[in-house]
Amino acid sequence: MSFVNVKHARWLPILVLIISMTSIQSGAALAKTIFPQIGAPGITALRLTLGTLILALIFKPWRLRFQPSERVPLILYGLALGGMNYLFYLSLRTVPLGVAVALEFTGPLVLALIGSRRPMDFVWVVLAVAGLFFLLPLRTGLTDVDPLGACLALGAGALWALYILTGQRAGSQHGPATVAMGSLIGALVFVPLGVAFTDSSAWSLSLIPVGLAIAVLSTALPYSLEMIALTRLPARTFGTLMSLEPAAAAISGMLFLGEVLSLEQTLALLAIIIASAGSTLTMRPKKNTLTRIKKTKKKRVRA
């Protein structure tokens, strides 16, 4: 098969997105292995520092010019980006990787389900709630999931939803380059915070190669791959495939960290994945999108 055929193959963006998800969760698993050395705050500081440097070299955010109406969303976007990473790593101290990602994933899921009115939409709500019920320590005597860790993961999910909302407004003019500026804003707040909560004696030059690997696996590589997939896949297909991320996290945790989920946790995680995929597949396009489609069809007919 020639390079041109591979470049335009339908399966290529799907493969790219799967590699992206695998990269993110491998980076998270690698980060968890050095928790004993510098802790979650230290890893957050390390990842944001090196990840921001990589993104800055690629996108050169100092060249960007933001309109006054974009500045507040941009600041919120950057704080959400840094905050969700900080809370997510804190949750990983006591929560299995697959469970943490599933709980974090409820943020975008809730965002997708807000305003649901059709009966089918409530099926996904029920599935998501059922998954949460069996993942969270809500029942008497349940000790499989640490309550604080679960709350931190849910907090990361809430910030993920804010990241999506503010990113749409902040990045309307600059696209993926906005990520570099947002990462810089997040780093200005959460890198000093991470350093402050890390023992100074824990830092050493030997951490740089590991930190660089985490930054590449969790930030530079997946963000770049996701942009390739986004430009080649319909939004619905992209959202459905992204729903598999909690499963990728569970597999990564099992392979690299020896984290084996119980049958109950696995079924709960599966319920959240189905709810997320289902909500994406049955989502109605916005009215303006429908209008553009109709106009396009009319033009084709006239032509």
Side-chain angles (χ1 to χ4, degrees), residues 66-79 166 169-170 185:
F66 291 89
Q67 300 297 323
S69 60
E70 295 174 325
R71 289 170 188 169
V72 172
L74 177 65
I75 292 171
L76 292 175
Y77 168 78
L79 293 175
T166 54
R169 292 187 60 188
I185 293 170

Side-chain angles (χ1 to χ4, degrees), residues 183-236:
S183 186
L184 178 60
I185 293 170
L188 290 174
V189 175
F190 290 97
V191 168
L193 189 64
V195 171
F197 283 96
T198 304
D199 186 355
S200 59
S201 62
W203 297 104
S204 66
L205 291 176
S206 62
L207 288 172
I208 293 179
V210 181
L212 193 59
I214 293 170
V216 171
L217 288 171
S218 299
T219 304
L221 180 61
Y223 286 166
S224 302
L225 293 178
E226 282 180 13
M227 286 309 301
I228 294 172
L230 267 173
T231 57
R232 290 168 172 80
L233 284 175
R236 179 175 294 187

